[in-house]
Amino acid sequence: TPAIDDHQDRLQLQTQSAILQVQKTLLSPTGSIAPGDVLTYQLQITNQGAVGTDDFQISDDLGALNSTPYFVPGSLVLGAINDEVPADNDVSNSNPMGGTNQQGLVDIRNLDIAAAIDPLPAPVIPSAPVTINYSVTLQDVIPNGTVIRNQATAQGQTVDTVNSPINSITISSAPQFSFSKTVVDISG
């Protein structure tokens, strides 16, 4: 019997997409962190997927995970994206006075990233990272031992939303005292 094409035949498609990973790191200061310090963060986004993407965004609402404002409003300064600021990256939604409690909002769109290299049978080699640096200033008064948390999010139309691990810093603001005691014998 001849084969008959049927428009109701089942068809399965397997799609591929970029698989992004986001890492947020405090570059400076190193060591103890005190009120008034300028914190410099770096976001690194890599792709573990077999295809790249040319339209994803990264955002970081600096106050979102803290019930109390710890950053100076307006102190957010965007640095370089991959050591430069490419003309096609859209930073217009970033706002030093934006985000929760006006703590600052990093929102960079129109980012692109290449596919990972898959040298079978070896493990996948991630793509070259997209790197974003920015800084923000801590308030002048923050109680000793306060933990400040934040995280970044990457998302796009062709990629799943992914969060960086939560970045936590602990404030060291306890005063340091030194005492000296002098004894004077007044009886002679």
Side-chain angles (χ1 to χ4, degrees):
T1 59
I4 299 173
D5 288 339
D6 182 358
H7 71 281
Q8 296 177 345
D9 287 343
R10 291 178 35 170
L11 176 66
Q12 290 184 333
L13 295 177
Q14 182 176 8
T15 61
Q16 293 182 332
S17 66
I19 302 170
L20 302 182
Q21 291 184 336
V22 181
Q23 186 65 42
K24 181 174 182 174
T25 305
L26 178 66
L27 295 180
S28 68
T30 57
S32 65
I33 299 168
D37 281 351
V38 175
L39 306 180
T40 300
Y41 286 104
Q42 181 176 79
L43 297 178
Q44 272 200 336
I45 304 99
T46 55
N47 182 6
Q48 300 282 334
V51 296
T53 182
D54 62 359
D55 187 20
F56 76 95
Q57 75 181 61
I58 190 83
S59 61
D60 186 356
D61 180 347
L62 294 170
L65 299 181
N66 303 300
S67 59
T68 301
Y70 295 117
F71 300 109
V72 174
S75 68
L76 172 67
V77 176
L78 288 178
I81 302 169
N82 290 340
D83 299 324
E84 57 186 60
V85 181
D88 60 340
N89 294 143
D90 179 4
V91 298
S92 65
N93 291 306
S94 293
N95 184 347
M97 296 291 290
T100 306
N101 295 320
Q102 298 179 328
Q103 297 294 282
L105 175 66
V106 174
D107 187 342
I108 303 172
R109 300 175 185 204
N110 297 335
L111 293 164
D112 57 3
I113 194 165
I117 300 169
D118 190 4
L120 294 175
V124 170
I125 299 170
S127 65
V130 171
T131 304
I132 300 167
N133 294 330
Y134 52 95
S135 61
V136 64
T137 304
L138 289 171
Q139 299 276 359
D140 287 333
V141 178
I142 302 173
N144 187 51
T146 298
V147 176
I148 300 173
R149 303 176 315 134
N150 57 52
Q151 83 183 146
T153 302
Q155 60 189 17
Q157 292 182 359
T158 60
V159 296
D160 291 334
T161 298
V162 61
N163 294 316
S164 70
I166 293 175
N167 184 285
S168 298
I169 60 170
T170 302
I171 300 299
S172 177
S173 63
Q176 296 192 8
F177 296 101
S178 65
F179 296 95
S180 66
K181 182 177 180 180
T182 305
V183 176
V184 176
D185 184 1
I186 59 169
S187 66

